[in-house]
Amino acid sequence: MEIFDHLALGFSVAFTFQNLFYCFIGVLLGTLIGVLPGLGPVPTIAMLLPITFGLPPVSALIMLAGIYYGAQYGGSTTAILINLPGESSSVVTAIDGYQMARQGRAGAALATAALGSFFAGSVATFLLAVFAPPLADIALKFGPPEYFSLMVLGLVASVSLASGSVIKALAMVVLGILLGLSGQDVYTGTPRFTFDIVELADGIEFVALAMGLFGLVEIIRNLEDEHTRTVMVQKVQGLMLSRDDIKRIIAPVLRGTVLGSFLGILPGGGAMLSSFASYSIEKRVSKDPRQFGKGAIEGVAGPESANNAGAQTSFIPMLTLGIPSNPVMALMIGALIIQGIVPGPNVVNEQPNLFWGIIASMWIGNFMLVVLNLPLIGIWVRLLTVPYHILFPLIIGFCCIGVYSVNNNVYDVYAMALFGVVGYLLVKLECEPAPLLLGFIIGPMLEEYLRRAMLISRGDPSVFVTRPLSAVMLGIAVLALAVVLLPSVRKKREEAFKE
């Protein structure tokens, strides 16, 4: 079969010493930043973007991907041992995982999280290998109107699934699009939104924006509310699951894998939404829902499987359509653009080594993560005692060096600091910065396809509704936005996110 030939190519790429090394570095860093509360994959990948300049595209993407799915593994360690999730998608794991640790079952909780994550990650990677190429082939038949409608649908879906106010999320998307349009006009080369600032002639630097909005803001928030970390278990024992535990986790792991694989593809979905949805489902199907919150192993197995499956399948729209489904995928697209690769359906055919190499590396990375997480748990426990006031100066220094190295221009450091302040104000106003980043990445592409479609149709806007596929996608986007804005739906949505 053709897919096995492609996978053979992928493994031949991933099994080179260089790519194995960067895969290991990625999953190690992912576990590390997952374990340390206050450092998520978004700020870490934003900080490491400058390093990818000097790497081959395949090695760079393999390392960044490893950081993302590695953080899903590492986040469960702090959630279980100190009731402080290292990653947003591990918030749900803390509910029952920490209770299991208090009952002397920390080993069983950690083993459940690691094995569930490994199974879900492996299955989701297989789905990525199977479904991504056909989807890319379909996308090659898209014209500018279809691409414009697809991007509108993606932005609306990310707004619908974002926590908090829909109006605020929409405002963040619009702000992101406006920031993305600064620089030179895509067709005429005329400067716009530059305010006579020479450094803005090429647009706002993506790395400075991402580091400011996510890296610096995360540091400020953690300094504002630094938790006292009390490690519940100094030595973790009992990593082998009993026969009863295995019987109890099989169904939640399978349900979490299926749910996470589906939600990961949706814009705005990904790991966090998957884990919350999985916990809710496990609680509903349980014969005894009262055990949830008191150390139910199902409450660890389901969400951990779902968040890893969601993390892996979120690569499908990014690699095949060039559409980011979450902030991490937006950063991945930024990394592709930095490497001179145009994200979209052509990646599968024009860059087969990159596409299949990343997929193969995910299986290798998932295996590495099981080895890293269970036998080395003692090292991760010791890391939890490092005070944050020692970590944050190092992180800020790394941010400044990284953003300066992109263009060797001190202006980018000031821009990062400015976006850090703006991001902190947005957080205080309860405006999520994630839709802003998605708008910033998609905005220029949205404009380009809009103008291309209008040129082809000689200025007739009806081209977006007369072409069937474009009309369907725009119709779904309008319907989704209308449904979310309905008072009854909005109220239920807010209650769900609060829960």
Side-chain angles (χ1 to χ4, degrees):
M1 281 177 73
E2 193 178 3
I3 189 169
F4 292 115
D5 294 335
H6 288 145
L7 287 174
L9 169 67
F11 278 108
S12 70
V13 172
F15 267 116
T16 62
F17 176 77
Q18 184 183 29
N19 289 335
L20 281 174
F21 173 74
Y22 282 111
C23 182
F24 177 75
I25 293 296
V27 296
L28 181 67
L29 276 174
T31 304
L32 181 65
I33 60 109
V35 165
L36 293 172
L39 274 178
V42 177
T44 305
I45 291 172
M47 285 180 232
L48 291 175
L49 274 178
I51 293 175
T52 64
F53 280 110
L55 297 179
V58 182
S59 302
L61 268 292
I62 283 174
M63 182 179 74
L64 295 180
I67 291 169
Y68 181 39
Y69 57 81
Q72 313 306 319
Y73 278 75
S76 61
T77 304
T78 44
I80 290 165
L81 295 179
I82 60 172
N83 198 27
L84 189 59
E87 224 302 77
S88 57
S89 59
S90 299
V91 169
V92 182
T93 308
I95 299 170
D96 283 284
Y98 183 63
Q99 293 303 321
M100 286 181 72
R102 293 186 68 181
Q103 294 161 18
R105 302 197 66 218
L110 290 165
T112 299
L115 295 175
S117 298
F118 175 72
F119 175 80
S122 301
V123 171
T125 304
F126 176 74
L127 293 175
L128 172 60
V130 171
F131 290 110
L135 187 60
D137 289 339
I138 294 168
L140 284 170
K141 297 179 175 66
F142 282 15
E146 284 79 14
Y147 261 111
F148 172 79
S149 301
L150 178 67
M151 287 175 183
V152 170
L153 176 59
L155 287 173
V156 168
S158 67
V159 165
S160 304
L161 294 171
S163 60
S165 165
V166 177
I167 304 297
K168 286 179 180 178
L170 273 172
M172 289 298 97
V173 166
V174 172
L175 179 59
I177 291 171
L178 289 173
L179 290 172
L181 295 179
S182 69
Q184 294 181 349
D185 184 279
V186 69
Y187 287 112
T188 65
T190 308
R192 60 186 184 182
F193 306 131
T194 59
F195 307 102
D196 292 328
I197 300 171
V198 177
E199 286 84 359
L200 287 179
D202 290 328
I204 293 168
E205 177 56 54
F206 171 72
V207 177
L209 178 89
M211 278 195 183
L213 283 179
F214 292 96
L216 294 188
V217 170
E218 202 64 34
I219 291 166
I220 298 167
R221 286 172 68 183
N222 283 303
L223 286 172
E224 189 179 51
D225 184 29
E226 186 175 358
H227 294 270
T228 304
R229 302 175 199 168
T230 308
V231 181
M232 190 69 209
V233 182
Q234 295 297 336
K235 191 174 181 183
V236 178
Q237 295 176 322
L239 288 168
M240 293 295 290
L241 294 174
S242 67
R243 187 173 292 179
D244 181 56
D245 286 338
I246 293 169
K247 281 170 68 177
R248 287 176 64 187
I249 68 170
I250 288 173
V253 165
L254 292 173
R255 281 193 290 265
T257 302
V258 172
L259 184 69
S261 298
F262 173 70
L263 289 177
I265 300 168
L266 299 177
M272 189 170 78
L273 186 67
S274 302
S275 62
F276 276 85
S278 174
Y279 189 82
S280 179
I281 287 172
E282 291 309 319
K283 199 171 179 181
R284 290 192 179 197
V285 301
S286 175
K287 292 176 183 176
D288 184 16
R290 290 172 298 177
Q291 67 178 326
F292 282 80
K294 298 176 182 175
I297 198 167
E298 295 88 347
V300 175
E304 277 301 303
S305 304
N307 72 29
N308 273 271
Q312 312 279 41
T313 56
S314 61
F315 281 85
I316 292 177
M318 190 277 285
L319 287 171
T320 59
L321 303 172
I323 304 288
S325 57
N326 56 52
V328 174
M329 292 303 111
L331 292 170
M332 292 285 185
I333 285 180
L336 283 172
I337 294 168
I338 284 168
Q339 293 283 353
I341 296 168
V342 179
N346 288 316
V347 170
V348 180
N349 298 318
E350 293 177 4
Q351 304 276 347
N353 284 14
L354 173 74
F355 181 80
W356 293 104
I358 290 171
I359 288 174
S361 76
M362 288 180 181
W363 272 305
I364 299 167
N366 273 290
F367 177 75
M368 286 179 176
L369 281 164
V370 173
V371 175
L372 277 173
N373 273 265
L374 294 181
L376 303 180
I377 196 68
I379 295 171
W380 306 126
V381 171
R382 288 190 195 96
L383 271 173
L384 295 175
T385 58
V386 178
Y388 194 73
H389 66 263
I390 293 174
L391 286 174
F392 91 84
L394 299 173
I395 298 167
I396 290 177
F398 190 79
C399 282
C400 293
I401 294 166
V403 79
Y404 178 78
S405 67
V406 175
N407 296 315
N408 292 328
N409 191 339
V410 74
Y411 172 82
D412 290 336
V413 179
Y414 293 134
M416 177 187 71
L418 175 65
F419 284 119
V421 174
V422 170
Y424 181 70
L425 291 174
L426 291 176
V427 168
K428 286 296 173 187
L429 293 169
E430 296 182 353
C431 295
E432 271 197 80
L436 189 153
L437 187 67
L438 295 179
F440 182 80
I441 288 288
I442 292 179
M445 294 189 284
L446 192 73
E447 183 207 11
E448 187 176 346
Y449 286 116
L450 171 65
R451 290 174 70 172
R452 273 192 203 173
M454 294 300 280
L455 282 168
I456 291 167
S457 66
R458 296 185 179 180
D460 183 8
S462 65
V463 69
F464 297 108
V465 291
T466 52
R467 294 177 67 143
L469 196 55
S470 174
V472 168
M473 286 189 284
L474 279 180
I476 294 170
V478 171
L479 187 66
L481 196 58
V483 167
V484 172
L485 288 171
L486 285 172
S488 57
V489 175
R490 193 167 67 218
K491 189 178 178 184
K492 285 183 180 177
R493 178 179 170 277
E494 286 170 3
E495 285 172 1
F497 278 115
K498 279 181 183 175
E499 187 183 339

